[in-house]
Amino acid sequence: MKSLDELAKIKESRRAALKIREGVPSATEKAHVMMCGGAGCISSKCLEVVDAMKEALSKNGIAEQVQIILTGCMGPCDMGPVAIVYPDATFYRRLKPKDAEAIVEEHIMKGNLVQRLLYRAPGAKEPTPKVTDIDLFAKQKKIVLRNNFYIDPTSIEDYIANDGYAALGKALTQMQPAEIIEEVKKSGLRGRGGAGFSTGMKWGFTAAASGSPKYVVCNGDEGDPGAFMDRSVLEGDPHSVIEGMAICGRAIGAEQGYVYVRAEYPLAIERLDYAIQKARENGLLGKDILGTGFNFDIEIRIGAGAFVCGEETALLTSIEGKRGEPRPRPPFPANAGVWGKPTVLNNVETWANIPEIILKGAAAYAAIGTEKSKGTKVFALAGRINNTGIIEVPMGTTLREIVFEIGGGIPRKKAFKAVQTGGPSGGCIPADYLDTPVDYDSLGALGAIMGSGGMIVLDEDSCMVDIAKFFLDFVVDESCGKCSPCRIGTKRMYEILDNISKGKGKEGDIELLVELATTIKATALCGLGQTAPNPVLSTIRYFRKEYEEHIRDKKCACNVCELEE
Amino acid sequence: MINLTIDNQKVAVEAGTTILEAARKVGVKIPTLCYLKDLNVIGACRICMVEVQGARTFIPSCVAPVAEGMVVRTNTPAVIAARKLVLELILSDHPMECLTCLRNQNCELQDLAKEFGITEVRFDGAKTEYPIDDSSPSIIRDPRKCVLCRRCMSVCTNVQTVQALCAENRGFDTLIAPAFNEKLANMECVNCGQCSLVCPTGAIVERDDTAKVWAALADPKKHVVVQTAPATRVQLGEAVGAEPGSIFTGQMVAGLRRLGFDKVFDTDFTADLTILEEGNELLQRVTTGGTLPMITSCSPGWIKFCEHFYPDLLAHLSTCKSPQQMFGALAKTYYAKKAGIDPADIYCVSIMPCTAKKYECRRPEMNSSGYQDVDVVLTSRELGRMFIQAGLDTTNLPEEEYDEPLGISTGAGEIFGASGGVMEAALRTVYEVVTGQTLENIDFEVCRGLTGVKEATVQVGDLSVKVAITNGLGNARKVLDKIRAGEADYHFIEVMCCPGGCIGGGGSPIPTNTEIRLKRIDATYTEDERMVLRKSHENPAVTALYEEFLEKPLGHKSHELLHTHYTPRGVNK
Ligand SMILES: Cc1cc2nc3c(=O)[nH]c(=O)nc-3n(C[C@H](O)[C@H](O)[C@H](O)COP(=O)(O)O)c2cc1C
Ligand code: SF4
Ligand code: SF4
Ligand code: SF4
Ligand code: SF4
Ligand code: FES
């Protein structure tokens, strides 16, 4: 592809071919079945459903008139396998291979919806067939996951049809590098990898840094237990990340990008690799992109799987082929990143926001969210909640809306106790704060963090000492061992907690935990150690009584901890 | 210049200076553990934390650069408490065995515990347990005492470029060890002991062989002779508490006699002998078209390094044994015969600044006398301990002279201890032997000093002799790579395994740092100047040795006793 015109032509012709997914019936095609191919649905055997459906289509002689497309994660994992059938956008859930025939013969051939497979809102008598009418989706706002209901992740044309690479075209032909950076700054976008640093500022620092070449890196290490937001993006819409990175390349003057993906994500690696290949074939990566003279290419680096490799300096050393271990900052990656050169490092989700910001403008993006947290955020809902899975909501949505409206509340009529945000670096927020708007600063003020978007809901049966111990166990295992406070300090905290949970706690243990926690936070080398005590501190802050019961009364009110006599 | 305040004092330092160095400039001492200037600046231990106004956390002063207008407080109660807790944590994973530790009273961890006034460790949880690795003839690793400062790893990787040590496992189980926790003896470790020199604790120490020596001294059947390496006389003072740079030759000799050694000889003697053998070998290679450049072979760590990493260049090595091993071979042949003692009864001890010598004396090639030529090697540190154990006030002993004949030496033998010394000694002799003229100025200043790679061209008669001198194996690599690439037109290269040469060897007193190395080097050249004889070929005992026993340099006997061969070893995969 050597020009914007060519890009526009592809878009036009593909868009026409995909009208059916916008609800316009087609003369030649009966349906597009978008089958969710996210991790959850794969594990609930969606591929068998696909096979059964193909068989049913062939049997009825309409294989040519129906497309089955495996998409990225659609979100409602606990309902999987799920599918959307276009043009009418019917949402089906909990599909079994044996349901394929009914969908083909009743719905696709006769236009009769298969009632038993439709979604029913909790307590509702009537099903909600249309995906856009379903409360769970209606409350969401999709920017990062904008394509997950619509495109085939292995089709660059699908991506282009939905405005893909238009932002890159705009950045290359209508914007100066400084304008791009300014636009990203004005959008208010903050890093989605955890720390929430202004993306535009980071790009500005790197652009201004001396040293060349410069690099663009995507952090796809995603090590938080239970998190799979980035995986969903990489599997479902890999071109959005490629496009975001290329735009940054133009903004800071870099020609090489790296995407660091954990080895545990083979499908993400495969999809991304394929997308990079297609982008190159189409002249959207490589030399002289869109005939503008701009060169940019991307390589994939596969991570060794340690959680700490997601920390930026560890990731950069790991890219260089060394043991992935954090190093002190400064120097920051903006000045000395990969191979010691100025480098922009952003999270997968951060990257996926970029095309939208450039294409629609900073103002439109900044209109979403709160004063200091703009845009949307993707969360992985887990724990004691009805709708587990991936959601994307505007910043500022309250915890209550997320848990009770989108998440469908707590199962088995149990009482909500707390929500743990930010994974092992985060904290627990109790019921009193359910009306807190979810944004970087509000969560921080409560002793929790936004983190990368993990949200674990806890009900009345969850013991907070046990929860704290669970997260601490994780960081003790994942500490890289370089600095003493984290290496030894988290271990000691774990040992004290373990004793408390076994009824062997002593008076003074809580104070000692707080002393350790405060010092580790203030002295550890990297973010892992600096945040590792958060789950303990926040549970002590809001649930101190539970700790005291374990220590004084040798009692676990939730009957979770096994106390020794 | 960057302006900042540290503990309310205004400070102006160059950009890029760390807070720690800036503080030192104004006399503010910040405690450290992992930090080692220029060698290990990784911010791992978190002992050096300070408060910086506006910062979210405390800041590691050893790695954090100063910034304009920075306000630093190094000793607020909060920061002191934090450091103390970090130290308490480190101690909670440490076997408190000071009383039975080789580093007792010379341990940075112990010093910190004392400075911080630690009286209690409140954590009684798990401790890291890894077995002691005593596979190496030279050094012993006890990972339990390791504080994971990584100084050893930095030195081994960056200075020596051997990379025998790395970080393994994660979190509480982190281990600094050979890859896959392999035994050190099975690695490319060259036994240089530089790791033991920088280790702040007793986690890497020299193998203590003093018991063997005490036993030999106690054995009436044994005739125990000792040789002292050139560098030891500028080290032993430090080992018993004197100032760095003290010259301790006479006191050391006196002390050795008091310990009961039957003869106190000097490796300087065989250093002179080395010059005659090696000088002639060089001339022979030059005149007969032999392999050039020729490289010195007196540093056993370097030899093993070459065998592992440059086996293709082994033909460049001089075939001369090291002075220590020449001495051993002669002690049990020439000296035995001369003194009328059965060599089986001779017990040959070396005092060396070096841990690699412990390995060298066990090499199978080193049995030319029909016995193990050198029975045991003690480092300067070990001899220092023997002096102290024997209750000797060595510093105040009247100075004594070495025994004859193997104790007679020249200034040329003495300077072997400093980087460039072998080259300078060789030039003094080669010049006079080749030209038949007396050297006017025998001080070859170009050879001296700590520069990693020194080069010079010296006119010897018709021949412009091109030489290079390297110290520290990383520097040797630079020159070896040039040889490999066919870009080196040197005739003669001196390679010393350890930074600064033997005066900075892995068996040196602790601490050994750049400043102390320079003091020992100064002392070495002072000692050289004090000698009556300063050229190896003028050593009368060496002349007598040739007349009475060896006949001539590179002769038959020399080949049998004084020369050796090497083994290509390659690198583990
Ligand atoms: C222990 C640790 C693990 C991290 N893991 C990730 C990760 O998996 N993915 C990620 O994007 N950022 C991770 N981060 C944050 C990164 O260091 C970095 O801030 C981020 O990738 C920058 O991108 P952003 O500005 O777009 O958020 C981690 C940080 C720490 C301290
Ligand atoms: S805080 Fe933990 S993970 Fe980070 S450098 Fe220190 S030991 Fe490693
Ligand atoms: S290493 Fe230091 S602190 Fe540890 S036992 Fe030895 S002397 Fe004591
Ligand atoms: S003795 Fe030398 S080569 Fe061996 S581990 Fe120590 S520093 Fe490395
Ligand atoms: S062995 Fe010594 S130098 Fe090496 S990491 Fe351990 S304490 Fe530090
Ligand atoms: S001395 Fe600064 S972190 Fe160890």
Side-chain angles (χ1 to χ4, degrees):
Chain A
M1 216 179 293
K2 282 280 153 244
S3 68
L4 281 180
D5 283 352
E6 281 180 67
L7 185 67
K9 277 195 199 110
I10 294 183
K11 178 180 163 177
E12 244 168 76
S13 72
R14 190 63 176 185
R15 189 137 201 151
L18 297 187
K19 280 273 174 217
I20 188 168
R21 294 186 205 164
E22 288 167 30
V24 184
S26 146
T28 50
E29 288 183 308
K30 287 193 182 311
H32 283 189
V33 180
M34 314 302 283
M35 178 65 75
C36 175
C41 287
I42 295 264
S43 65
S44 51
K45 305 215 167 70
C46 68
L47 295 179
E48 288 177 14
V49 180
V50 170
D51 288 343
M53 196 165 292
K54 281 185 183 154
E55 208 174 295
L57 290 171
S58 305
K59 200 176 97 188
N60 290 288
I62 52 167
E64 301 300 303
Q65 298 157 50
V66 177
Q67 284 190 32
I68 305 179
I69 287 131
L70 210 56
T71 68
C73 177
M74 291 180 178
C77 303
D78 62 298
M79 299 183 203
V82 298
I84 300 172
V85 179
Y86 289 114
D88 34 13
T90 307
F91 178 75
Y92 286 121
R93 75 209 219 287
R94 302 219 168 85
L95 298 175
K96 297 261 177 313
K98 65 176 165 52
D99 299 327
E101 224 169 57
I103 294 181
V104 171
E105 292 173 6
E106 289 302 316
H107 180 155
I108 297 180
M109 298 180 65
K110 302 191 191 137
N112 301 327
L113 304 189
V114 187
Q115 296 293 323
R116 64 187 164 84
L117 300 173
L118 295 173
Y119 173 78
R120 279 177 179 72
K125 275 204 213 88
E126 290 305 308
T128 321
K130 208 170 165 175
V131 67
T132 40
D133 294 339
I134 295 176
D135 48 0
L136 158 65
F137 298 117
K139 288 261 174 201
Q140 299 192 39
K141 162 113 191 118
K142 303 217 167 187
I143 294 179
V144 172
L145 301 173
R146 59 193 176 274
N147 283 328
N148 279 18
F149 286 0
Y150 300 105
I151 72 162
D152 173 356
T154 62
S155 163
I156 191 170
E157 292 83 8
D158 274 20
Y159 180 71
I160 292 171
N162 207 13
D163 282 338
Y165 290 106
L168 177 62
K170 181 175 173 188
L172 290 181
T173 55
Q174 298 167 32
M175 296 172 87
Q176 290 307 310
E179 288 174 73
I180 301 173
I181 294 174
E182 203 42 44
E183 202 65 17
V184 177
K185 274 187 194 162
K186 277 196 294 198
S187 77
L189 175 65
R190 294 168 68 172
R192 302 295 193 239
F197 192 79
S198 155
T199 305
M201 275 169 68
K202 195 186 269 190
W203 292 19
F205 292 144
T206 315
S210 56
S212 75
K214 293 179 180 173
Y215 295 98
V216 176
V217 177
C218 168
N219 188 342
D221 193 54
E222 195 165 57
D224 278 16
F228 57 110
M229 299 75 67
D230 296 347
R231 173 183 185 163
S232 301
V233 174
L234 289 172
E235 289 180 359
D237 197 9
H239 286 286
S240 65
V241 173
I242 297 173
E243 186 179 2
M245 291 175 71
I247 291 169
C248 178
R250 154 85 172 159
I252 66 159
E255 297 196 343
Q256 180 65 51
Y258 295 99
V259 181
Y260 187 92
V261 194
R262 54 176 23 224
E264 289 87 337
Y265 286 179
L267 184 64
I269 295 170
E270 185 190 314
R271 292 262 168 88
L272 181 65
D273 190 46
Y274 186 74
I276 290 173
Q277 206 178 306
K278 285 290 155 193
R280 280 189 198 131
E281 280 169 19
N282 283 280
L284 294 163
L285 279 180
K287 296 258 177 265
D288 193 20
I289 294 172
L290 290 170
T292 59
F294 172 64
N295 307 327
F296 190 76
D297 211 334
I298 293 178
E299 263 180 48
I300 299 180
R301 291 295 160 106
I302 297 174
F307 174 60
V308 76
C309 283
E311 192 280 337
E312 58 185 20
T313 59
L315 184 142
L316 296 170
T317 26
S318 178
I319 287 183
E320 295 172 9
K322 300 185 215 139
R323 176 176 157 113
E325 258 180 4
R327 59 155 178 79
R329 299 172 304 176
F332 287 91
N335 290 304
V338 205
W339 320 115
K341 301 295 180 188
T343 300
V344 162
L345 176 95
N346 279 127
N347 165 261
V348 169
E349 188 182 331
T350 313
W351 288 120
N353 275 297
I354 298 294
E356 188 82 352
I357 291 172
I358 296 302
L359 197 64
K360 309 236 169 100
Y365 189 87
I368 307 162
T370 64
E371 192 198 336
K372 287 188 179 154
S373 303
K374 300 297 186 190
T376 58
K377 178 77 193 86
V378 181
F379 290 99
L381 285 184
R384 310 281 171 86
I385 186 162
N386 277 313
N387 302 331
T388 61
I390 293 279
I391 61 161
E392 182 174 356
V393 292
M395 294 279 189
T397 308
T398 64
L399 284 169
R400 189 184 300 283
E401 288 171 295
I402 293 177
V403 173
F404 288 96
E405 297 181 22
I406 299 173
I410 315 296
R412 291 182 286 127
K413 300 207 167 67
K414 294 281 182 183
F416 170 93
K417 184 168 190 179
V419 54
Q420 208 280 353
T421 69
S425 318
C428 290
I429 302 170
D432 291 354
Y433 300 93
L434 267 173
D435 292 311
T436 305
V438 172
D439 61 50
Y440 290 98
D441 310 286
S442 309
L443 292 185
L446 293 178
I449 61 165
M450 174 87 75
S452 56
M455 240 184 220
I456 301 173
V457 178
L458 308 170
D459 69 9
E460 55 188 309
D461 291 341
S462 313
C463 165
M464 301 316 275
V465 174
D466 184 64
I467 294 292
K469 196 174 126 179
F470 168 82
F471 282 109
L472 212 48
D473 189 30
F474 177 83
V475 294
V476 167
D477 267 358
E478 295 295 337
S479 157
C480 83
K482 185 171 181 176
C483 73
S484 354
C486 170
R487 179 181 70 241
I488 313 171
T490 57
K491 174 88 172 176
R492 298 295 174 239
M493 286 183 69
Y494 178 82
E495 289 169 339
I496 295 170
L497 271 178
D498 190 46
N499 277 337
I500 294 177
S501 76
K502 288 182 175 151
K504 295 191 281 187
K506 302 188 294 285
E507 283 303 321
D509 276 357
I510 299 178
E511 290 70 23
L512 192 55
L513 278 174
V514 172
E515 185 187 341
L516 276 167
T518 324
T519 304
I520 295 169
K521 278 173 76 84
T523 57
L525 193 160
C526 84
L528 190 152
Q530 287 166 7
T531 58
N534 286 350
V536 178
L537 281 177
S538 76
T539 48
I540 291 180
R541 174 166 164 189
Y542 298 116
F543 302 94
R544 193 179 178 110
K545 219 175 103 257
E546 284 189 37
Y547 280 81
E548 288 167 351
E549 275 171 8
H550 283 75
I551 295 173
R552 289 182 197 151
D553 313 334
K554 313 288 175 207
K555 186 173 124 217
C556 173
C558 305
N559 270 324
V560 173
C561 299
E562 290 181 21
L563 287 98
E564 293 168 13
E565 290 309 311
Chain B
M1 291 303 245
I2 305 282
N3 298 290
L4 67 158
T5 37
I6 300 180
D7 296 344
N8 299 323
Q9 301 185 63
K10 292 217 179 319
V11 190
V13 288
E14 266 171 49
T17 310
T18 59
I19 298 176
L20 180 78
E21 297 298 336
R24 284 185 181 175
K25 283 215 166 82
V26 288
V28 172
K29 186 179 167 246
I30 302 170
T32 58
L33 183 57
C34 67
Y35 176 75
L36 205 54
K37 195 170 191 306
D38 302 330
L39 288 177
N40 199 48
V41 187
I42 60 171
C45 74
R46 320 305 278 182
I47 285 292
C48 68
M49 306 306 278
V50 295
E51 250 181 68
V52 172
Q53 208 171 69
R56 200 168 38 86
T57 60
F58 293 137
I59 299 293
S61 62
C62 71
V63 284
V66 295
E68 188 61 37
M70 202 180 230
V71 178
V72 179
R73 299 284 304 274
T74 73
N75 53 12
T76 61
V79 83
I80 289 176
R83 283 181 201 151
K84 203 166 164 175
L85 183 57
V86 170
L87 183 63
E88 190 183 342
L89 285 171
I90 294 174
L91 294 176
S92 75
D93 185 26
H94 194 83
M96 315 276 214
E97 295 170 1
C98 299
L99 294 183
T100 51
C101 181
L102 275 189
R103 292 294 294 273
N104 193 8
Q105 307 228 352
N106 185 11
C107 169
E108 293 179 42
L109 185 62
Q110 209 183 38
D111 290 348
L112 284 175
K114 184 175 158 202
E115 270 173 41
F116 284 28
I118 303 275
T119 52
E120 178 196 22
V121 172
R122 291 169 292 170
F123 312 102
D124 52 4
K127 294 196 178 192
T128 351
E129 288 293 343
Y130 286 103
I132 291 178
D133 177 2
D134 61 356
S135 64
S136 159
S138 301
I139 54 173
I140 300 198
R141 291 179 39 245
D142 184 349
R144 300 172 313 135
K145 292 181 187 165
C146 176
V147 296
L148 301 177
C149 69
R150 303 186 182 202
R151 289 176 178 186
C152 55
M153 186 178 137
S154 295
V155 153
C156 192
T157 304
N158 304 326
V159 178
Q160 299 299 56
T161 63
V162 172
Q163 293 196 41
L165 301 170
C166 59
E168 283 169 64
N169 304 338
R170 278 208 299 253
F172 195 71
D173 298 328
T174 306
L175 172 69
I176 306 297
F180 307 109
N181 202 11
E182 183 51 86
K183 294 247 182 276
L184 204 51
N186 302 334
M187 299 297 294
E188 295 83 15
C189 167
V190 303
N191 304 304
C192 70
Q194 286 300 313
C195 48
S196 71
L197 213 49
V198 295
C199 181
T201 71
I204 302 189
V205 294
E206 66 281 6
R207 176 182 284 280
D208 184 289
D209 285 315
T210 53
K212 290 184 192 164
V213 176
W214 286 118
L217 290 169
D219 185 346
K221 287 205 297 290
K222 290 261 186 287
H223 180 77
V224 189
V225 303
V226 62
Q227 59 169 321
T228 63
T232 53
R233 67 212 72 205
V234 297
Q235 291 192 339
L236 249 300
E238 279 172 59
V240 296
E243 282 302 302
S246 309
I247 298 175
F248 220 63
T249 321
Q251 292 89 332
M252 177 170 70
V253 173
L256 287 165
R257 285 220 178 81
R258 306 250 171 139
L259 287 178
F261 286 96
D262 295 299
K263 290 287 173 192
V264 181
F265 291 140
D266 200 356
T267 317
D268 287 14
F269 166 77
T270 33
D272 283 334
L273 182 61
T274 301
I275 290 302
L276 292 179
E277 290 291 326
E278 204 162 83
N280 279 293
E281 184 185 355
L282 177 63
L283 292 174
Q284 194 181 57
R285 288 191 191 216
V286 171
T287 51
T288 63
T291 307
L292 286 175
M294 186 178 88
I295 313 177
T296 57
S297 56
C298 24
S299 174
W302 146 239
I303 298 296
K304 189 156 185 271
F305 181 82
C306 191
E307 290 176 329
H308 281 299
F309 299 101
Y310 294 87
D312 50 316
L313 300 186
L314 286 174
H316 290 269
L317 289 180
S318 160
T319 60
C320 287
K321 284 184 185 169
S322 70
Q324 146 163 300
Q325 292 304 142
M326 286 194 183
F327 181 95
L330 291 174
K332 293 192 179 179
T333 55
Y334 173 62
Y335 169 73
K337 200 162 143 204
K338 213 172 151 82
I341 302 170
D342 180 351
D345 292 334
I346 295 183
Y347 194 79
C348 186
V349 179
S350 313
I351 312 300
M352 295 283 143
C354 176
T355 48
K357 294 277 174 194
K358 287 177 184 275
Y359 165 80
E360 185 186 38
C361 78
R362 295 197 198 179
R363 288 179 70 121
E365 306 88 39
M366 302 302 170
N367 295 289
S368 326
S369 62
Y371 303 89
Q372 182 171 322
D373 298 329
V374 171
D375 291 286
V376 67
V377 174
L378 298 185
T379 58
S380 298
R381 300 200 284 272
E382 290 162 272
L383 180 60
R385 288 201 293 271
M386 283 185 78
F387 283 158
I388 292 168
Q389 281 169 40
L392 293 174
D393 178 12
T394 7
T395 320
N396 295 313
L397 286 181
E399 298 185 30
E400 293 182 15
E401 296 287 333
Y402 284 99
D403 287 309
E404 290 186 13
L406 306 191
I408 307 232
S409 67
T410 71
E414 170 52 28
I415 59 176
F416 264 56
S419 162
V422 177
M423 184 60 70
E424 181 167 349
L427 290 173
R428 289 180 189 174
T429 289
V430 169
Y431 183 89
E432 296 201 349
V433 170
V434 170
T435 62
Q437 291 166 358
T438 309
L439 255 183
E440 286 188 8
N441 179 5
I442 68 166
D443 293 332
F444 288 86
E445 295 285 348
V446 285
C447 296
R448 302 182 182 181
L450 285 178
T451 310
V453 180
K454 295 168 270 191
E455 292 178 310
T457 307
V458 179
Q459 201 61 34
V460 177
D462 299 336
L463 186 66
S464 286
V465 182
K466 275 200 75 175
V467 303
I469 297 157
T470 73
N471 65 93
L473 294 171
N475 291 317
R477 245 181 217 282
K478 295 178 192 158
V479 173
L480 294 166
D481 287 340
K482 269 175 129 182
I483 301 181
R484 245 186 203 166
E487 290 162 7
D489 58 349
Y490 310 110
H491 295 94
F492 192 26
I493 302 171
E494 176 197 302
V495 174
M496 288 298 154
C497 171
C498 292
C502 307
I503 49 91
S508 307
I510 294 170
T512 290
N513 52 36
T514 303
E515 195 188 322
I516 292 177
R517 282 186 170 94
L518 286 170
K519 289 187 177 161
R520 294 182 192 149
I521 289 174
D522 277 350
T524 298
Y525 291 107
T526 308
E527 194 56 352
D528 169 32
E529 275 167 33
R530 287 202 332 202
M531 302 290 274
V532 185
L533 299 175
R534 297 181 62 197
K535 299 167 198 159
S536 297
H537 55 287
E538 291 176 354
N539 184 329
V542 170
T543 313
L545 171 67
Y546 279 113
E547 281 168 5
E548 294 169 18
F549 187 65
L550 292 174
E551 294 170 8
K552 60 172 201 279
L554 309 183
H556 176 67
K557 266 238 151 58
S558 292
H559 267 291
E560 221 169 72
L561 295 175
L562 309 183
H563 291 258
T564 186
H565 57 272
Y566 307 105
T567 312
R569 295 178 198 273
V571 180
N572 287 342
K573 278 283 163 282

